Amino acid sequence: MTMDGTGHESVDLVRPYVITNGQELPKGDEFELVTLVTAADGGARRAQLDPERRALVELCCGGYLSVAEIAGHIGLPIGVIRVLLSDLAGNGQITTRNPVPTAQLTDIQVLQEVLDGLQTRFG
């Protein structure tokens, strides 16, 4: 930790540790930048959450957001967000799903055959 010249520890270095309660990201973390997250039912349990976790759950109430979007809205480092999300997922406060995979590129030959067939049929 660094000192800020007055003998006090830098708040920027301590805060993420305090927010995550010293937790580290679990092995096999499921939270990639594109993982989609939404709040699970259970609004009564939100009152028991600390402010950062409550803000995450409330942000995700409107539908699915990616982990990167959540970090941008909340303004915390992505590593901290991933630890908090992992904790919330373990408590059943949020649910996740993988993003919809991108469509595979269609073979250009198939597209050319379709175009040729349309031109033959409709002139």
Side-chain angles (χ1 to χ4, degrees):
M1 299 214 190
T2 62
M3 301 291 201
D4 64 5
T6 63
H8 296 9
E9 294 176 353
S10 174
V11 174
D12 291 336
L13 294 177
V14 175
R15 189 164 186 255
Y17 181 83
V18 172
I19 291 172
T20 63
N21 295 325
Q23 293 175 309
E24 293 183 8
L25 203 56
K27 302 274 189 238
D29 172 49
E30 63 184 282
F31 294 99
E32 311 247 344
L33 291 177
V34 293
T35 300
L36 299 174
V37 179
T38 192
D41 291 335
R45 294 187 300 169
R46 284 187 208 142
Q48 301 168 349
L49 297 173
D50 60 36
E52 290 81 15
R53 286 174 177 81
R54 188 176 318 117
L56 283 172
V57 173
E58 288 173 359
L59 178 65
C60 295
C61 282
Y64 282 97
L65 290 174
S66 72
V67 173
E69 289 173 309
I70 293 168
H73 286 292
I74 298 293
L76 290 172
I78 197 78
V80 172
I81 294 295
R82 291 171 68 191
V83 170
L84 296 176
L85 289 174
S86 179
D87 187 40
L88 290 169
N91 293 334
Q93 296 281 333
I94 60 167
T95 58
T96 64
R97 71 175 175 94
N98 292 329
V100 177
T102 56
Q104 298 207 357
L105 296 177
T106 306
D107 184 16
I108 191 75
Q109 182 179 354
V110 172
L111 292 176
Q112 187 62 50
E113 289 174 8
V114 170
L115 180 61
D116 292 344
L118 290 172
Q119 287 176 339
T120 302
R121 169 119 181 162
F122 298 107

